[in-house]
Amino acid sequence: MDPLPQQITTLGRTDHPAPPAPVRHPALQPEEIPPGVELVTLPGGRRTLAYTQPPSPTPQSAPATQPIPAWAKTTALLAPTVGGGIGAAGVGLSYAAPGLIAVTEALWAAVALIATSALGVIGLLYADRRGSSGNGGPAHVTQNITATGLFGRANGTINQ
């Protein structure tokens, strides 16, 4: 039987002298030794049976690290770039705010000018139309169209 590295714990008192003579016990066969008991050699060279503790387990090495996926690397590299771009846009808008307010007011003035111009043109056209027809009613137009055959050319006359 190969002796395994074991930790031996002994309790000893120093106030009692060593026993006067070693006591001889009958030798045990290996199959008679109970579990947890081993044949050990003490530091003085004496061999004896002793209860042993199993060797402490060696700390397991850290699990192998897995490589970082490409999408994670890309996301990690894009995050500060996008954040920096948003920050730069905010700073730019804060500097441009007075100019943007002036542009907004100019655009509202342009919208008001276009709306009043359109209303004025519509009013002028309506006044011109009312003035051109003598009675103020709509003009009546009669049109006669004739065509011969399925793909024939159409001819028409307009009567007012």
Side-chain angles (χ1 to χ4, degrees):
M1 180 161 38
D2 219 6
L4 297 173
Q6 304 290 329
Q7 292 180 352
I8 300 172
T9 305
T10 59
L11 297 175
R13 293 178 57 178
T14 58
D15 59 346
H16 291 295
V23 178
R24 288 290 204 189
H25 295 288
L28 294 175
Q29 298 298 324
E31 57 270 359
E32 294 176 344
I33 298 176
V37 176
E38 302 250 348
L39 180 65
V40 294
T41 304
L42 297 175
R46 201 170 115 198
R47 296 179 58 123
T48 184
L49 292 174
Y51 287 102
T52 58
Q53 298 176 355
S56 61
T58 58
Q60 301 225 353
S61 62
T65 58
Q66 297 178 355
I68 298 172
W71 64 267
K73 289 180 183 177
T74 304
T75 304
L77 291 173
L78 281 178
T81 305
V82 171
I86 291 171
V91 169
L93 285 175
S94 70
Y95 282 122
L100 291 175
I101 292 170
V103 168
T104 305
E105 291 175 5
L107 287 175
W108 278 115
V111 167
L113 178 66
I114 291 170
T116 54
S117 300
L119 289 176
V121 169
I122 290 172
L124 287 175
L125 289 176
Y126 183 71
D128 182 46
R129 187 174 240 202
R130 259 184 99 100
S132 64
S133 61
N135 59 5
H140 293 287
V141 177
T142 305
Q143 185 175 9
N144 297 323
I145 300 173
T146 57
T148 56
L150 182 60
F151 297 108
R153 187 171 193 173
N155 295 321
T157 58
I158 299 175
N159 300 323
Q160 290 188 351

